[in-house]
Amino acid sequence: MAKIVYYSQTGQTRKFVEKISHTEKIEISPNHFEIEMSESFILVMPSYETNVHPIVIDTAADFLETADNISYCKGLFGGGNRNFAELFCITAKTLSKEYDLPMLHAFEFQGSPLDVKKLEEELLNIEHNN
Ligand SMILES: Cc1cc2nc3c(=O)[nH]c(=O)nc-3n(C[C@H](O)[C@H](O)[C@H](O)COP(=O)(O)O)c2cc1C
């Protein structure tokens, strides 16, 4: 099964990914991003308006630029809050553009059952296409 790599500043994204069973979840943080991936994964990123939290986007960028990680990244799930309007899921959208990775889905906070289903489906898609 493809893996999940995620960042979580206040725990919402961690709660979201913990709803998925049968796959490994790897948390990255500013002190823990030099992880070499050797299998496909989806990157799940909460959003922090870039001028508020450049550290979040830099951590993801440093992780993606570690070893061959970009080639194993099959896309992004963006967490956020729709009250941020045009900035909804800005972090994942920015990474998707910068690294030319598919933006697979956007969700709020710790995700609804439909968001969980979507992540399960995308993990299975990767498995079948590998
Ligand atoms: C300081 C701050 C800035 C945020 N900026 C955005 C934003 O620009 N866009 C967005 O969609 N959500 C934004 N959010 C909402 C978070 O992305 C959302 O609460 C997310 O679930 C947090 O995930 P985490 O608990 O895993 O860190 C912001 C939240 C905070 C506290």
Side-chain angles (χ1 to χ4, degrees):
M1 184 70 131
K3 297 182 181 191
I4 297 170
V5 177
Y6 71 98
Y7 186 105
S8 192
Q9 184 88 5
T10 65
Q12 302 281 351
T13 311
R14 189 177 306 113
K15 284 185 188 151
F16 174 56
V17 303
E18 289 301 335
K19 294 176 191 170
I20 307 285
S21 43
H22 307 306
T23 192
E24 191 182 342
K25 297 119 197 154
I26 300 164
E27 183 167 354
I28 56 170
S29 67
N31 298 322
H32 183 62
F33 58 83
E34 276 180 290
I35 303 158
E36 281 193 29
M37 300 301 292
S38 54
E39 283 171 75
S40 300
F41 67 91
I42 290 175
L43 182 59
V44 186
M45 290 297 300
S47 294
Y48 287 96
E49 196 189 349
T50 45
N51 65 354
V52 180
H53 271 289
I55 203 162
V56 177
I57 210 149
D58 286 353
T59 300
D62 288 345
F63 164 73
L64 285 170
E65 289 174 25
T66 295
D68 291 329
N69 288 358
I70 289 178
S71 64
Y72 292 106
C73 184
K74 301 303 171 195
L76 283 140
F77 264 56
N81 174 343
R82 286 198 164 81
N83 288 342
F84 283 85
E86 76 278 5
L87 292 178
F88 179 50
C89 290
I90 187 68
T91 303
K93 286 175 185 166
T94 302
L95 290 164
S96 161
K97 255 194 221 141
E98 265 180 32
Y99 292 97
D100 197 20
L101 294 165
M103 180 72 197
L104 299 172
H105 188 62
F107 64 95
E108 286 189 287
F109 308 113
Q110 48 180 280
S112 69
L114 280 177
D115 298 318
V116 174
K117 194 161 170 257
K118 176 76 177 157
L119 183 49
E120 284 168 345
E121 281 169 5
E122 292 294 347
L123 290 165
L124 282 173
N125 279 345
I126 294 168
E127 206 61 15
H128 291 148
N129 293 330
N130 265 351

